Amino acid sequence: MAEPLKDLYSAAFIREFSEKVRNVHPPFSAQSFREDVMNEEWDEMKLKERIRHISLTLGRHLPSDYQEALNILYQLEKDCEGFRYLFFPDFVEVHGLSKENWALSLEALERFTVRSSSEFAVRAFILLEPVLMIAKMKEWAQNENEHVRRLASEGCRPRLPWGQSLPMFKADPQPVLELLESLKNDPSLYVRKSVANNLNDIAKDHPAAVIQIAKRWHESGDDLTNWIIRRGCRSLVKQANPEVLAMFGYADVWSDPTMVAAAFIENEPASIKIGETSELHFGFQVEAISTVKLRIEYAIDFVKAKQKTSRKLFLLADRNFAAGERVDRVKIHNWKDLTTRRHYGGLHKISLLVNGVEVAETNLTLTLS
């Protein structure tokens, strides 16, 4: 089993970091810092709690002058690279939010994001001054460093995982969409992934706005831009949005169901106990005058605690199919409980979908014993 992420901040790491600080700033008490960090509550802290705890403790042990404290951290930059050093930008969020420190803080976030990531810390500044920060992020979007350009996009994602949500951009994504215009054909894959994820976030609240911008970008024919919109519209593709499917060349199975023939889905056995494995047998045939692009999935309507259902899609194929091509497949689905999904007894519907259209279905009864 993989070690919890919070264990990145081990006693050895805290000791090593404290010595690094002392080497560039001799008055720093490495031992006192370590004792304050790894207090009696340390073992119970989760990942983000440990990051914030280190930031707060560091603030108590570095000089009280913010500029002086930052200068010490700047001396450590080259030797403090990677995910573990997220407490560098977090230090800026914790200690540099006051208006008199903004210029220093934004410079620090720009510097620290190059070797770690300021995507979480910058959100506190956006929440205070969204107009000012969008202007700053437009500047960052023109930076020669790909990490800074990524910060421009990643920092303003409305629904960044692990990050504070940005309700103003959930309500009105236009400022973010304007920012993304300058990054729509960025040469860095690292940046393009962020732009795509930002679009995917926005599509959850404003699908029409994302479809509109995706169509316009798609018309440019630029390969880098098309990669972004394909990934950025992935949730809309899963939802089988007809405009999006048409834009990416998927066949319109709704209008012409004869494109799929002899589709079936079956499972054996028809009833299993929770924790067992059921083999689901999929078979479908594609018949078309010309080659068609199909996205083939199976869906399970999982029974929840109160006997309501929640659908989960599983991708089988997403490609062009030749006329008359037939594909048969056996899929094994494991019904063991997961950390993200607990199974409950009841009748589970299992469907075969082609470009969002249900072409066949079967049922499985899940029993507790």
Side-chain angles (χ1 to χ4, degrees), residues 232-274:
C233 290
R234 62 186 182 273
S235 292
L236 297 173
V237 169
K238 289 180 180 179
Q239 296 165 15
N241 183 283
E243 290 183 86
V244 174
L245 291 182
M247 180 170 56
F248 295 127
Y250 291 95
D252 187 355
V253 179
W254 283 106
S255 300
D256 188 4
T258 61
M259 291 181 178
V260 178
F264 70 92
I265 180 172
E266 62 182 13
N267 61 293
E268 179 67 32
S271 177
I272 63 172
K273 297 178 183 179
I274 292 177

Side-chain angles (χ1 to χ4, degrees), residues 3 30 74 85 205-206 227:
E3 294 294 325
Y74 289 156
Y85 294 96
D205 298 302
H206 300 275
W227 186 93

Side-chain angles (χ1 to χ4, degrees), residues 206-227:
H206 300 275
V210 171
I211 291 172
Q212 182 182 30
I213 200 170
K215 285 181 175 179
R216 179 164 56 80
W217 288 5
H218 188 63
E219 290 173 358
S220 72
D222 184 272
D223 289 341
L224 300 181
T225 304
N226 285 335
W227 186 93

Side-chain angles (χ1 to χ4, degrees), residues 68-288:
E68 189 178 352
L70 285 179
N71 287 339
I72 293 169
L73 295 182
Y74 289 156
Q75 294 180 67
L76 298 168
E77 279 181 285
K78 293 183 180 179
D79 294 325
C80 296
E81 185 170 354
F83 179 84
R84 289 194 298 185
Y85 294 96
L86 281 174
F87 58 86
F88 273 46
D90 192 69
F91 178 91
V92 176
E93 177 185 347
V94 171
H95 303 286
L97 268 179
S98 59
K99 284 301 177 68
E100 62 269 20
N101 287 327
W102 267 50
L104 294 173
S105 294
L106 296 186
E107 179 187 358
L109 292 177
E110 180 178 332
R111 289 184 62 160
F112 291 149
T113 204
V114 173
R115 290 184 170 83
S116 179
S117 179
S118 297
E119 66 197 77
F120 303 110
V122 76
R123 301 171 81 79
F125 294 83
I126 295 173
L127 288 167
L128 287 176
E129 292 285 355
V131 175
L132 184 154
M133 287 305 300
I134 281 291
K136 184 63 179 180
M137 296 172 104
K138 286 181 178 179
E139 291 181 21
W140 285 340
Q142 304 301 322
N143 195 282
E144 64 180 12
N145 189 289
E146 65 175 348
H147 295 271
V148 179
R149 298 199 305 276
R150 178 184 180 271
L151 175 61
S153 170
E154 198 73 4
C156 65
R157 284 179 58 183
R159 295 172 172 270
L160 180 68
W162 290 10
Q164 298 179 76
S165 67
L166 300 176
M168 75 289 287
F169 296 149
K170 284 184 180 180
D172 179 13
Q174 192 57 37
V176 179
L177 292 173
E178 292 175 1
L179 167 69
L180 298 183
E181 286 285 348
S182 61
L183 297 169
K184 66 177 181 289
N185 56 1
D186 195 278
S188 167
L189 178 61
Y190 190 46
V191 176
R192 295 199 304 274
K193 283 183 178 180
S194 176
V195 175
N197 289 336
N198 203 326
L199 285 177
N200 192 56
D201 280 2
I202 295 170
K204 295 174 183 177
D205 298 302
H206 300 275
V210 171
I211 291 172
Q212 182 182 30
I213 200 170
K215 285 181 175 179
R216 179 164 56 80
W217 288 5
H218 188 63
E219 290 173 358
S220 72
D222 184 272
D223 289 341
L224 300 181
T225 304
N226 285 335
W227 186 93
I228 288 174
I229 59 176
R230 179 62 179 84
R231 185 177 175 90
C233 290
R234 62 186 182 273
S235 292
L236 297 173
V237 169
K238 289 180 180 179
Q239 296 165 15
N241 183 283
E243 290 183 86
V244 174
L245 291 182
M247 180 170 56
F248 295 127
Y250 291 95
D252 187 355
V253 179
W254 283 106
S255 300
D256 188 4
T258 61
M259 291 181 178
V260 178
F264 70 92
I265 180 172
E266 62 182 13
N267 61 293
E268 179 67 32
S271 177
I272 63 172
K273 297 178 183 179
I274 292 177
E276 292 183 347
T277 298
S278 173
E279 288 191 355
L280 308 180
H281 299 266
F282 301 94
F284 53 90
Q285 183 177 12
V286 178
E287 294 180 0

